[in-house]
Structure formats: structure tokens, C-alpha cells
Amino acid sequence: MSLALGIGANTAIFTLMEAVLWKAIPVKSPEQLRLLSWASGPKNVVDSTWGGRQLIPGGVSSTVFSYSVFRALQQTAAGTQTVFAFKPSGRMTAVIDGHAELVTSELVSGNFYDSVGVEPIEGRPITPGDDKRTAAGIVAIISDSFWSRRFGHDVSVLGRAIRLNQVLVTVVGINPPSFQGMEPGRNPDIFLPLSAQ
């Protein structure tokens, strides 16, 4: 009995470690991706309002940047490298056909899909044009698992309007099953442009 418990515990730990630490993110050239961060002393002037702060010896560090800093980084890197952004935006209430449910979501920059080389299996990706507030409204891409669970793989979901936190968004694409976001284990249901913030 104790041998079975030991084997089961080791298998569970290895599976978690493999998913979170060792398995590459299913994007184009994952070995070339870098996650930018900032660090400051004990009297930091940058406040991370979305969390992500870590204490380091003598100060704090974070991977969270304001939108204006992100835009400045994009302009600085223009022509040499691509800077894109993603940020978990937590749980939202989705109302579909009069039924409400909680979904997980992630905000991404307009160049996110092009930068990571992920092509939706149906529809189109979020583009830089979607990252600007327009009268056309907010677009969304749903995960394959959410598409299966909520819509039964029905392609007619494309172009359909759903409510997220009482805001109408239009589904324009469906992610491939292999892509579940940039943070292993999070698996967002819905991806939205940064302008949705």
C-alpha cells in the first residue's frame, strides 16, 4: 500500500513538473522567447497594480509593465526584435444564450499571435487593428477546449456575439488544441486584445 502511494505521488509530481517546467510552449521558436522584468531597490517608484511582484534581496522585481512602458519597449525594439504582451485577466462572467458561467481570460497585444506563430484553426487571430478602440467593438478568440465544452465544435460560433462582464465581444477565432496560453497550467478560455482592458 505504501509502495503504491509512493509511486502515485511521484507520478503526480513528475507530471506537474513536466507540464510547468520542462515542456516547451507550443509556439514558433520557443527557445528565442524572453520574459522581460524590472527590479528596484527597497524604495521602488514603480507600483505593480496587477500583482506579479516578487521580493528579491534589497528590493522587488516584477514582470508587469504599464501599457505606456510596453509601447516604449515596442518602439525601441522596432526593426530588431518583436515585443509583445500578455496578461492573465482572471475570471469573467460569460453570458451565452442566456446562460452565465465563469471563464478564464487573457489579454494579449495585437501582435501576439503573429509574434508567437500561433494560427487559429478556425477564423482569424487578434491583430494590431483589434488593439485599438473602435466602433467595431471588441473581438475574442476562444480556446479549443472552451469551443468543445460550450459550443460542441460548432463553427457557427465565429462572428457570434457573447457578453463578457456585460460587454459585447465578437468571437473571431478558435485556438488550436495544442495552444493553451503562455503560462503552462493556466489554460485561458478566452483571449482578448489589450484594448478590452
Side-chain angles (χ1 to χ4, degrees):
M1 188 183 231
S2 55
L3 183 61
L5 285 173
I7 292 171
N10 281 334
T11 302
I13 290 169
F14 178 78
T15 302
L16 178 66
M17 295 292 285
E18 197 238 346
V20 175
L21 297 176
W22 299 318
K23 195 173 187 182
I25 300 167
V27 298
K28 173 183 71 177
S29 305
E31 72 282 352
Q32 293 181 4
L33 296 177
R34 303 293 182 264
L35 182 62
L36 301 178
S37 65
W38 57 265
S40 82
K43 296 185 178 185
N44 64 317
V45 294
V46 178
D47 182 30
S48 177
T49 57
W50 262 0
R53 290 170 63 138
Q54 299 174 13
L55 294 176
I56 58 173
V60 281
S61 175
S62 179
T63 58
V64 178
F65 293 88
S66 69
Y67 185 74
S68 57
V69 170
F70 161 65
R71 294 293 295 157
L73 288 169
Q74 270 190 319
Q75 291 168 359
T76 302
T80 58
Q81 296 181 354
T82 302
V83 176
F84 61 89
F86 63 95
K87 178 64 185 154
S89 53
R91 293 192 177 273
M92 294 185 171
T93 302
V95 178
I96 303 164
D97 296 330
H99 301 286
E101 65 181 280
L102 285 176
V103 296
T104 55
S105 59
E106 185 156 294
L107 298 173
V108 298
S109 58
N111 64 340
F112 175 84
Y113 279 88
D114 186 48
S115 299
V116 298
V118 173
E119 281 292 322
I121 56 173
E122 296 289 343
R124 67 170 182 86
I126 291 173
T127 65
D130 298 321
D131 212 8
K132 298 176 177 70
R133 290 197 147 174
T134 64
I138 300 171
V139 299
I141 295 184
I142 60 176
S143 70
D144 180 73
S145 60
F146 184 64
W147 182 40
S148 172
R149 183 177 74 242
R150 188 63 184 81
F151 301 101
H153 286 121
D154 184 358
V155 182
S156 70
V157 69
L158 295 175
R160 189 168 174 189
I162 61 175
R163 286 198 176 275
L164 287 178
N165 286 356
Q166 297 302 318
V167 176
L168 275 176
V169 301
T170 303
V171 177
V172 295
I174 301 158
N175 280 330
S178 61
F179 183 70
Q180 299 172 351
M182 295 298 284
E183 295 181 59
R186 283 207 72 253
N187 306 337
D189 295 314
I190 298 176
F191 293 76
L192 301 159
L194 287 175
S195 62
Q197 173 63 30

